[in-house]
Amino acid sequence: MRSRSRFLAGRFGAVLALATAAILAGGASGAFAQESVKIGFIGPLSGGNAQQGLSARNGFQLAIDQANAAGLPFKIEPVILDDAANPQTGVSAALKLTNDSQVVAATGHWNSGVALATIPVFQRAGVPFVVWGAISPKITERNNPMISRVVTTLVNTNEPLAAWAAKNIGKSIAIVSDTSDYGAANTKNFEKFYTAAGGKIVATEAAPVGTTDFRALLTKIKPLSPDAIYFGGVVTEAALVRQQMAELGMTAPMIGVDGFHDAEFIKIAGPAAEGTIAGIAKEKGNPQLAKLTQDYQAAKFSEPATTYTKNAFDAANIIIEALKKAGTKDKAAIAKAIRETQYDGAMGHTSFDENGQTKLPVELELRAVKNGSWTTQ
């Protein structure tokens, strides 16, 4: 009996030891499981501005993929949402992100009207948000601690463009814009700087986003014989304005800032696109931009890169660097770490002022449509 008792006791002990080892092993693997966090992206992935959003999405995705492959102490799950260049859709996307407790930060928006609609959502929710494309000055006019922006504002391009136009095109320009915040800001700033440079605005016309027929307002402008028409909107409407100018026999050039500087403008406007001039922030080569270009090609994205690819790539990497510094738990600390950024990326050296606006300097580059493509002047 005694020997059987010893046997049972020994067997029970062995089973207990194995069970304990299994529990400990499970506990250890649980303890060392990699934390997962989410970073959001919002942009126009459908509709007339989709090319901008898709190329930015790809830059964002590339940054996340590279960060995950680099062996971070946490894993990043990208959450990519479409705003369709529509403020209401953008707000729905922002609410989806901010209602997810795993989302520690986000980046977004090409359209200023959408950004202005979603910024209060991110601010109230206390979720850090970095703007990669929208350029309305209103976005960073006051200090919203959760909001930063890596791209310069439309003021930075309209001022030198207006001075150039007054000197090189003529002293008489008509303005056509859309009625969005972006269009209104372009109209206000170009008129301000152009008149300061000695020019005169002979007409100011605006139409809602989505307008397809501009012939009536162009017919009003035609007898005024302006030296140029400044267009303060984006791709599709700009192309239609240029096309309809040609139909009406208006030979003056069309000029503007980077809202319509896109291959799709040429595709829609066709031969009428020739001679159109866009003033954009000059891209300055650096090793990070060269590497991004190489990596983007190697990743074989379906869409070609645009200027917004590098913007969203840098925005994502700035967020990732902030997470490395501040951790993933305290979103206010993450936002503070973003504001304290000194980041050398594909855009150049990024740092932010007290309102979260990038301090990246701007040099104007003029691009004109020649022989069916955008060419540096």
Side-chain angles (χ1 to χ4, degrees):
M1 277 301 279
R2 188 177 296 173
S3 61
R4 180 170 175 78
S5 296
R6 285 199 201 99
F7 170 76
L8 289 173
R11 188 171 181 181
F12 176 76
V15 171
L16 181 62
L18 286 170
T20 302
I23 291 169
L24 288 173
S29 64
F32 292 104
Q34 191 179 34
E35 179 192 8
S36 180
V37 298
K38 296 178 182 178
I39 299 177
F41 170 93
I42 316 178
L45 306 180
S46 61
N49 300 323
Q51 184 58 48
Q52 316 294 346
L54 291 168
S55 66
R57 175 205 63 186
N58 295 345
F60 170 83
Q61 184 68 61
L62 183 60
I64 302 299
D65 291 344
Q66 290 179 345
N68 281 332
L72 294 171
F74 47 85
K75 181 181 178 182
I76 302 170
E77 180 183 338
V79 183
I80 295 171
L81 300 174
D82 183 14
D83 64 27
N86 179 280
Q88 186 175 354
T89 306
V91 167
S92 295
L95 288 169
K96 183 174 182 179
L97 290 178
T98 55
N99 286 331
D100 185 341
S101 61
Q102 281 192 291
V103 174
V104 294
T107 182
H109 306 311
W110 183 66
N111 303 82
S112 293
V114 184
L116 288 166
T118 68
I119 281 171
V121 177
F122 287 102
Q123 184 64 33
R124 284 194 301 268
V127 175
F129 187 69
V130 180
V131 177
W132 55 258
I135 60 175
S136 169
K138 288 184 180 179
I139 291 168
T140 48
E141 276 183 349
R142 59 180 182 177
N143 181 20
N144 293 311
M146 292 294 136
I147 312 302
S148 301
R149 174 165 51 181
V150 298
V151 67
T152 54
T153 79
L154 56 80
V155 175
N156 300 105
T157 45
N158 270 298
E159 184 172 11
L161 178 67
W164 173 84
K167 181 179 179 180
N168 296 280
I169 287 186
K171 296 295 196 293
S172 169
I173 286 180
I175 295 176
V176 178
S177 71
D178 62 40
T179 55
S180 69
D181 284 291
Y182 174 72
N186 272 323
T187 296
K188 174 185 174 182
N189 282 280
F190 183 81
E191 181 172 10
K192 170 185 170 183
F193 295 126
Y194 184 67
T195 54
K200 180 181 179 182
I201 301 299
V202 295
T204 302
E205 301 286 345
V209 174
T211 297
T212 58
D213 190 349
F214 295 88
R215 293 176 184 86
L217 63 83
L218 289 172
T219 300
K220 288 168 61 179
I221 292 171
K222 184 179 177 181
L224 302 174
S225 301
D227 295 314
I229 286 184
Y230 170 93
F231 185 75
V234 294
V235 180
T236 301
E237 291 81 5
L240 293 173
V241 166
R242 187 59 178 160
Q243 191 180 71
Q244 290 162 24
M245 284 174 64
E247 289 174 12
L248 294 170
M250 299 175 71
T251 58
M254 186 169 87
I255 67 173
V257 289
D258 54 2
F260 59 81
H261 178 251
D262 187 86
E264 192 69 12
F265 167 83
I266 299 171
K267 182 178 177 181
I268 297 170
E274 289 293 307
T276 301
I277 298 170
I280 67 170
K282 185 175 183 178
E283 292 187 2
K284 298 180 180 180
N286 61 59
Q288 290 80 12
L289 179 57
K291 185 177 186 305
L292 170 59
T293 302
Q294 184 179 17
D295 292 346
Y296 191 90
Q297 292 170 348
K300 300 188 183 303
F301 289 108
S302 299
E303 298 81 15
T306 70
T307 187
Y308 301 103
T309 303
K310 72 180 188 313
N311 295 11
F313 179 80
D314 277 6
N317 277 311
I318 286 168
I319 291 170
I320 292 164
E321 290 300 313
L323 294 175
K324 290 180 186 177
K325 178 181 177 182
T328 62
K329 305 301 182 187
D330 186 339
K331 292 173 185 175
I334 296 167
K336 184 173 183 290
I338 289 171
R339 285 285 183 92
E340 293 172 350
T341 288
Q342 297 287 333
Y343 181 74
D344 291 306
M347 298 179 73
H349 181 78
T350 295
S351 61
F352 299 106
D353 68 16
E354 64 278 5
N355 289 338
Q357 176 60 43
T358 182
K359 294 194 283 188
L360 191 71
V362 172
E363 181 181 341
L364 186 73
E365 180 174 312
L366 295 172
R367 296 277 184 92
V369 179
K370 292 183 180 178
N371 301 318
S373 63
W374 287 105
T375 305
T376 302
Q377 285 275 78

